């Protein structure tokens, strides 16, 4: 989606951090912005700041772990403007450092519930309405640099949730009609409330981040990237996988015989559905 002037943009987790930075930028491009967060006082402050900058802004509370509250957010936005053109599924949380073995399972479930199912709720609720609406629309899911490269110690819950958002977004991008753009936004180390206390003064500020990310949003890129050094981390995984395949499962003529995509494409061509 190249032009956001007059479009209606809903942003979860839009009262602070990257979500608020996107709200400012969409607003500066002429969009009408609806932000959602769990704390009403944060919403009120953010809406006031956006309006002071000349943005047509409104906000409401929503806990993205609740499908019903995401539905209510959509109702609020449609009641306000009669349409929505963009959803930014941005709401997310980090985790206290803990090993995979020692982290409390309630922590794991909480992180997954917000970072994955919160995004999934937004995709379903707004995606269905976009399809029914039938006009150009966009679904932007905020993952992380940790959606793309190897996990790191003591953050397994967070990294797992962001890896899952990658898979969700790639599937969604191939499933929706052509008039719906889908992107995975992959911030690196950006100054937000999610970061460990005392570390954010060394993170990329949100203005610099938006200057890198915004042209990719306008271009409709599937992956919206930012931190250049991440390629070093991505190559660690890619190199390890390439070595494993070269050693234990090297390519051969006809090696697509067990390729899942080839199998499903053949079934689709025959008008058949795979049996569970």
């Amino acid at each position: 989606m190249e032009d956001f002037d007059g479009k209606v943009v809903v942003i979860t987790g839009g009262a602070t951090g990257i979500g608020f930075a996107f709200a400012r930028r969409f607003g500066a491009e002429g969009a009408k912005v609806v932000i959602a967060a769990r704390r009403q006082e944060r919403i009120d402050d953010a809406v006031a700041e956006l309006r002071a900058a000349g943005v047509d802004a409104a906000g409401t509370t929503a806990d993205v772990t609740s499908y019903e509250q995401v539905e209510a957010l959509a109702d609020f936005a449609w009641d306000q403007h009669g349409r929505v053109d963009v959803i930014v599924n941005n709401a997310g949380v980090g985790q206290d450092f803990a090993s995979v073995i020692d982290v409390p399972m309630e922590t794991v479930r909480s992180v997954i519930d917000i970072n994955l199912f919160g995004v999934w709720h937004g995709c379903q609720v707004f995606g269905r309405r976009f399809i029914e609406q039938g006009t150009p629309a966009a679904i932007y899911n905020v993952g992380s640099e940790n959606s793309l490269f190897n996990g790191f110690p003591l953050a397994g819950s967070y990294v797992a949730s962001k890896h899952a958002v990658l898979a969700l977004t790639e599937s969604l991008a191939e499933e929706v009609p052509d008039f719906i753009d889908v992107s995975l936004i992959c911030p690196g180390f950006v100054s937000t409330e999610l970061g460990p206390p005392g570390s954010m003064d060394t993170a990329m500020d949100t203005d610099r981040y938006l200057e890198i990310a915004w042209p990719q949003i306008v271009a409709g890129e599937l992956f919206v990237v930012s931190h250049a050094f991440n390629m070093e981390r991505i190559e660690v995984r890619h190199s390890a996988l390439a070595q494993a395949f070269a050693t234990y499962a090297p390519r051969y003529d006809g090696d697509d015989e067990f390729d899942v995509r080839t199998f499903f494409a053949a079934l689709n061509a025959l008008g058949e559905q795979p049996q569970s």
Side-chain angles (χ1 to χ4, degrees):
M1 186 175 291
E2 296 180 355
D3 183 8
F4 295 97
D5 187 28
K7 299 296 193 295
V8 179
V9 179
V10 177
I11 305 173
T12 66
T16 60
I18 291 172
F20 183 68
F22 271 114
R24 283 197 322 248
R25 185 58 185 260
F26 278 112
E29 298 292 328
K32 302 172 183 179
V33 177
V34 177
I35 62 172
R38 287 185 292 183
R39 292 171 288 182
Q40 185 65 54
E41 66 275 10
R42 287 296 185 90
I43 295 171
D44 293 341
D45 290 345
V47 168
E49 186 173 342
L50 290 168
R51 288 176 176 173
V55 178
D56 183 337
T60 186
T61 56
D63 180 347
V64 296
T65 66
S66 165
Y67 197 96
E68 291 74 21
Q69 290 194 36
V70 176
E71 285 275 20
L73 168 61
D75 289 340
F76 176 85
W78 258 270
D79 288 345
Q80 289 278 312
H81 299 290
R83 62 181 296 117
V84 172
D85 305 287
V86 176
I87 176 66
V88 183
N89 291 307
N90 168 73
V93 294
Q95 69 160 101
D96 293 334
F97 290 142
S99 72
V100 169
I101 292 173
D102 294 329
V103 63
M105 287 310 299
E106 57 266 26
T107 297
V108 177
R109 292 188 178 93
S110 177
V111 171
I112 297 293
D113 206 14
I114 297 170
N115 290 358
L116 174 58
F117 288 111
V119 171
W120 210 310
H121 292 163
C123 290
Q124 282 203 351
V125 169
F126 285 86
R128 286 180 178 140
R129 295 186 186 215
F130 289 163
I131 292 170
E132 181 179 355
Q133 191 168 263
T135 55
I139 299 172
Y140 302 129
N141 295 335
V142 178
S144 166
E145 62 184 6
N146 294 300
S147 298
L148 305 177
F149 58 74
N150 51 297
F152 59 92
L154 307 182
S157 304
Y158 179 79
V159 176
S161 72
K162 294 301 185 177
H163 271 54
V165 172
L166 165 65
L168 161 64
T169 305
E170 287 184 320
S171 293
L172 179 69
E174 295 194 44
E175 294 169 355
V176 295
D178 289 342
F179 61 81
I180 300 178
D181 290 339
V182 175
S183 295
L184 177 70
I185 299 174
C186 304
F189 191 30
V190 178
S191 182
T192 73
E193 292 186 347
L194 297 185
S199 68
M200 290 295 95
D201 55 348
T202 62
M204 181 184 287
D205 67 67
T206 53
D207 288 339
R208 181 178 176 186
Y209 172 71
L210 258 293
E211 288 306 309
I212 299 170
W214 188 255
Q216 301 170 72
I217 294 288
V218 173
E221 299 290 354
L222 175 59
F223 299 112
V224 177
V225 300
S226 56
H227 292 52
F229 191 77
N230 283 345
M231 278 306 304
E232 292 288 329
R233 306 302 185 196
I234 291 169
E235 284 297 335
V236 170
R237 168 179 283 173
H238 182 270
S239 295
L241 285 168
Q243 181 62 43
F245 273 98
T247 303
Y248 300 106
R251 298 295 305 271
Y252 59 90
D253 289 341
D255 59 5
D256 63 349
E257 61 182 325
F258 303 118
D259 177 61
V260 172
R261 273 187 175 269
T262 302
F263 172 72
F264 283 118
L267 286 182
N268 187 56
L270 295 172
E272 298 179 9
Q273 294 294 324
Q275 298 298 310
S276 58

